[in-house]
Amino acid sequence: MTQGVFQEIVCMLTHNYSIVFLISPLPIHECHDTGILQEKSIATPVVTNIFDSYGELAAGVASVDAVEKFLTPYFVQQFQSYICSAPVLLLDANLHPQSLEFACRIAAGSGIPVWFEPVSVKKSTRISSIVNYITYASPNEIELIAMANSLLPEKEFKFQLDPNGSKMHSVESLFQMLKPAISFVLCKGIKCLVVTLGQAGVFLCFRDWPQCKIQDLKSSKLASFSSMPHAIVDEGQLGVEFQAYHFPALNSSVVNPTGAGDCLVAGVIASICSGLDLMRSVAIGIAVAKAAVESKTNVPAEFNMKDLAGEAESILSGVKHLLV
């Protein structure tokens, strides 16, 4: 996967368009326009976010009705061949539930892993109708709780976020608070959870070691990352209920927090598609998110691969195995 394709994935995610949905002219990144729906009568989806003093999302108002209305199963079906040949299918919860399930069924027919991006607490509950198809999901703490509650209505999982953010909790105490929901969601069929914690980093939790249809490493600028030191996971131990690891965040000079979570997911997916293992991929995703928050734009115009590799190596050296 080339850096250009990597930027394309970031571009798609940051604008919060499911599949690819753009009304205005193409952004500065050279995205392919094969799957872009353009109609003068459609209002461009708009999102307004409010961040707290820690750079965490405090509130948001979104108008994305056009995504649900126009990205129908019929529209998705036009790209069935692309889905069936993809290393990973990314779906975000802005899609209508019928379109989500339709896309999942196409992917399942070809054994393509599906990544579910919850988008918001309210829309994260759309996982309930497609949980059996999902390989990866990337909720934050509160979206994780909402997902778990949508899958088990008779029981209420609870999580009280500290007014000062999760950074006030120790990693161990935060994990213990989220552990029941993590365990339950994994038991419902999802293989891997990437739980984003803002400044506290990321929890990577999995019950199986997910496999993807990867591309030729020789064609990827990310291939050089495969030489990074990595001896954290013993795949022979994966018979336990699930494995959990904490990845630390990197210190950063925050300029613009918008798009950090999307860039993290894009970095992880780009790395997975390039053939890197899950641990390295998450580390690179965190390094990409750091570059995003230090940029004036939602997505940096370019990424320094050498810097990303060095920062990912630093992150991996700080990964902790959590007792479950």
Side-chain angles (χ1 to χ4, degrees):
M1 178 170 289
T2 66
Q3 185 174 2
V5 176
F6 175 46
Q7 289 177 331
E8 178 181 338
I9 294 176
V10 176
C11 167
M12 293 175 188
L13 285 169
T14 300
H15 286 82
N16 280 326
Y17 302 125
S18 308
I19 309 298
V20 188
F21 185 81
L22 299 172
I23 303 301
S24 57
L26 287 174
I28 58 174
H29 304 301
E30 297 179 356
C31 295
H32 297 294
D33 60 0
T34 306
I36 298 175
L37 178 61
Q38 302 183 65
E39 292 288 345
K40 293 182 178 179
S41 61
I42 303 174
T44 303
V46 177
V47 179
T48 299
N49 290 328
I50 299 174
F51 296 92
D52 62 22
S53 59
Y54 295 97
E56 306 290 348
L57 181 66
V61 179
S63 175
V64 291
D65 292 344
V67 175
E68 290 196 22
K69 184 176 180 181
F70 293 98
L71 295 189
T72 62
Y74 174 77
F75 180 78
V76 174
Q77 188 175 26
Q78 299 176 59
F79 308 99
Q80 181 167 345
S81 62
Y82 292 89
I83 294 174
C84 292
S85 60
V88 181
L89 172 64
L90 170 68
L91 295 174
D92 78 40
N94 280 320
L95 277 172
H96 190 281
Q98 291 181 353
S99 296
L100 283 171
E101 184 169 358
F102 186 79
C104 284
R105 287 181 179 274
I106 293 176
S110 295
I112 305 301
V114 178
W115 187 300
F116 178 76
E117 168 56 36
V119 177
S120 68
V121 172
K122 182 177 180 180
K123 291 187 176 179
S124 65
T125 60
R126 293 183 177 181
I127 190 73
S128 60
S129 63
I130 58 173
V131 65
N132 292 330
Y133 298 102
I134 304 303
T135 303
Y136 307 92
S138 47
N140 61 27
E141 309 101 305
I142 304 180
E143 290 166 349
L144 169 69
I145 297 300
M147 287 168 56
N149 285 331
S150 72
L151 296 169
L152 188 65
E154 61 270 22
K155 178 179 178 180
E156 184 178 2
F157 291 93
K158 296 181 179 180
F159 174 72
Q160 184 64 44
L161 187 64
D162 189 282
N164 293 317
S166 59
K167 65 189 287 290
M168 300 302 294
H169 296 291
S170 69
V171 169
E172 290 76 12
S173 65
L174 185 58
F175 177 68
Q176 290 303 318
M177 285 189 284
L178 295 173
K179 179 181 171 181
I182 291 171
S183 178
F184 177 72
V185 171
L186 290 175
C187 286
K188 294 298 289 186
I190 295 176
K191 290 186 177 181
C192 176
L193 285 172
V194 179
V195 184
T196 58
L197 310 169
Q199 294 180 350
V202 167
F203 286 146
L204 171 63
C205 309
F206 51 88
R207 59 183 180 86
D208 291 306
W209 191 254
Q211 300 293 327
C212 301
K213 296 181 178 180
I214 61 175
Q215 298 180 357
D216 183 1
L217 285 176
K218 295 181 181 178
S219 66
S220 172
K221 290 187 177 181
L222 292 176
S224 60
F225 293 168
S226 62
S227 62
M228 289 164 46
H230 168 58
I232 298 174
V233 176
D234 176 2
E235 295 187 40
Q237 296 179 351
L238 298 185
V240 298
E241 183 179 358
F242 72 94
Q243 296 280 314
Y245 295 84
H246 174 255
F247 287 67
L250 293 168
N251 292 326
S252 59
S253 300
V254 178
V255 175
N256 174 24
T258 304
D262 290 338
C263 284
L264 186 150
V265 171
V268 176
I269 292 177
S271 301
I272 289 173
C273 292
S274 294
L276 302 189
D277 65 47
L278 192 55
M279 306 293 280
R280 290 190 187 93
S281 297
V282 172
I284 292 171
I286 294 173
V288 170
K290 174 181 179 290
V293 301
E294 293 182 337
S295 171
K296 291 183 180 180
T297 58
N298 290 356
V299 181
E302 61 182 1
F303 293 90
N304 185 307
M305 294 297 178
K306 184 177 180 180
D307 289 346
L308 288 181
E311 291 174 340
E313 182 176 342
S314 174
I315 292 166
L316 283 173
S317 68
V319 171
K320 293 182 179 180
H321 185 200
L322 302 170
L323 298 178
V324 298

